[in-house]
Amino acid sequence: MQFVEANGARIPAIGLGTWELRGRTCTRIVEQALRLGYRHIDTAQVYENEREVGDGLRASGVRRDEVFVTTKVWTNHFAPNDLERSAKESLVRLRMPDVDLLLLHWPNPQVPLAETLGALARAKQMGLTRHIGVSNFTVALIEEATGACPAPLVCDQVEFHPYLDQAKVRQACAQKGMALVAYSPVARGRIKTDPVLARIGHDHHKSPAQICLRWLVQQNVSAIPRTSRIERLAENIAVFDFELSDAEMARISAL
């Protein structure tokens, strides 16, 4: 497994996104992913599956300290006291003493960003999380957040795939020593029928989804594809045994 390093964090380059995974399906997929070699699991308060994610991790038999676990604070908990309380509630649901990464899920203009970031940094100081970051932040908000946060932010998690250019956000993150974490990295399945990805995939004996994920990994981006199918889990993590050429990378970026 490769890692993306950012402000002290080592984030596994491929993780499992759990949005829309519920109940026993969620537990089973998390358990199977970890058994297949995944070491990065992403959840959120608003997904309403933190309990199942924790159950899956315990069922896998993989040690907690070997897995990078991310959860996200929902926007209605951005007032400082509320953020701390909701982070503790997340840990209760996960049945974990801490998470590896705690993110602000979306910007919330209703609460002053500096106040929310102060509370996020305090959550880290209290040992509720090892690292902190943001999600769905624009270039301007990254600038504001890094200026206002008393502790280093390790990432911005955004939607990123060949059909959505995130070059400016990537650049802004790189300047601040932050990683970019890509959700919906295979464009919610839209890339399956893409002729460019299919052609490149054919040359490497890989699927369009694997080409897509490899394209992200080679840009030093961590990708968190979501799937509810076991066979797809194995496919999504099998992207470290080949390399895309500069020309192939450029063809995919041109999409």
Side-chain angles (χ1 to χ4, degrees):
M1 175 65 76
Q2 281 174 227
F3 294 87
V4 176
E5 311 226 352
N7 284 338
R10 289 184 84 229
I11 307 170
I14 295 286
L16 173 70
T18 63
W19 177 58
E20 287 186 330
L21 294 180
R22 288 279 197 281
R24 290 184 59 177
T25 301
C26 180
T27 302
R28 193 174 56 97
I29 290 289
V30 169
E31 178 188 351
Q32 287 292 68
L34 292 167
R35 289 193 171 163
L36 283 167
Y38 283 75
R39 290 298 179 265
H40 176 187
I41 309 289
D42 181 275
T43 180
Q45 293 171 350
V46 80
Y47 299 171
E48 296 183 344
N49 64 10
E50 288 172 315
R51 186 165 279 115
E52 289 77 6
V53 166
D55 289 346
L57 195 152
R58 280 180 291 280
S60 73
V62 175
R63 287 197 353 230
R64 165 67 189 98
D65 62 5
E66 288 180 19
V67 185
F68 192 95
V69 179
T70 300
T71 194
K72 310 178 201 78
V73 180
W74 189 238
T75 53
N76 59 357
H77 300 311
F78 279 11
N81 292 344
D82 214 11
L83 187 142
E84 186 186 313
R85 184 185 53 76
S86 82
K88 287 176 177 170
E89 286 171 357
S90 283
L91 297 177
V92 168
R93 287 189 290 270
L94 286 158
R95 293 191 11 228
M96 293 174 188
D98 59 14
V99 287
D100 296 275
L101 181 57
L102 186 65
L103 303 180
L104 303 180
H105 203 146
W106 282 89
N108 177 0
Q110 262 53 66
V111 185
L113 185 56
E115 285 181 23
T116 305
L117 289 165
L120 190 65
R122 212 158 33 252
K124 180 186 174 187
Q125 207 179 358
M126 292 168 67
L128 306 179
T129 182
R130 293 176 56 217
H131 304 286
I132 55 175
V134 294
S135 183
N136 300 300
F137 272 41
T138 59
V139 171
L141 279 171
I142 290 169
E143 193 62 46
E144 188 186 338
T146 50
C149 193
L153 297 166
V154 304
C155 80
D156 186 12
Q157 186 185 118
V158 296
E159 182 174 348
F160 187 21
H161 45 71
Y163 302 147
L164 183 62
D165 181 14
Q166 291 285 18
K168 285 179 180 165
V169 173
R170 247 187 80 221
Q171 199 180 352
C173 284
Q175 282 169 355
K176 304 293 182 185
M178 293 165 65
L180 195 66
V181 177
Y183 70 79
S184 301
V186 294
R188 299 181 178 84
R190 273 176 28 231
I191 52 98
K192 273 188 208 131
T193 53
D194 191 287
V196 172
L197 295 171
R199 172 86 26 87
I200 295 171
H202 179 263
D203 294 344
H204 290 280
H205 309 291
K206 294 287 180 180
S207 70
Q210 288 170 314
I211 296 301
C212 217
L213 293 170
R214 181 69 207 180
W215 174 77
L216 289 164
V217 167
Q218 278 184 220
Q219 296 178 72
N220 202 33
V221 167
S222 174
I224 47 169
R226 172 189 61 87
T227 183
S228 54
R229 292 165 58 194
I230 303 290
E231 63 276 16
R232 191 76 76 232
L233 277 178
E235 182 187 309
N236 286 346
I237 205 170
V239 296
F240 299 107
D241 57 352
F242 74 105
E243 199 163 324
L244 297 169
S245 69
D246 291 349
E248 288 169 332
M249 290 289 288
R251 278 167 67 199
I252 298 165
S253 297
L255 295 173

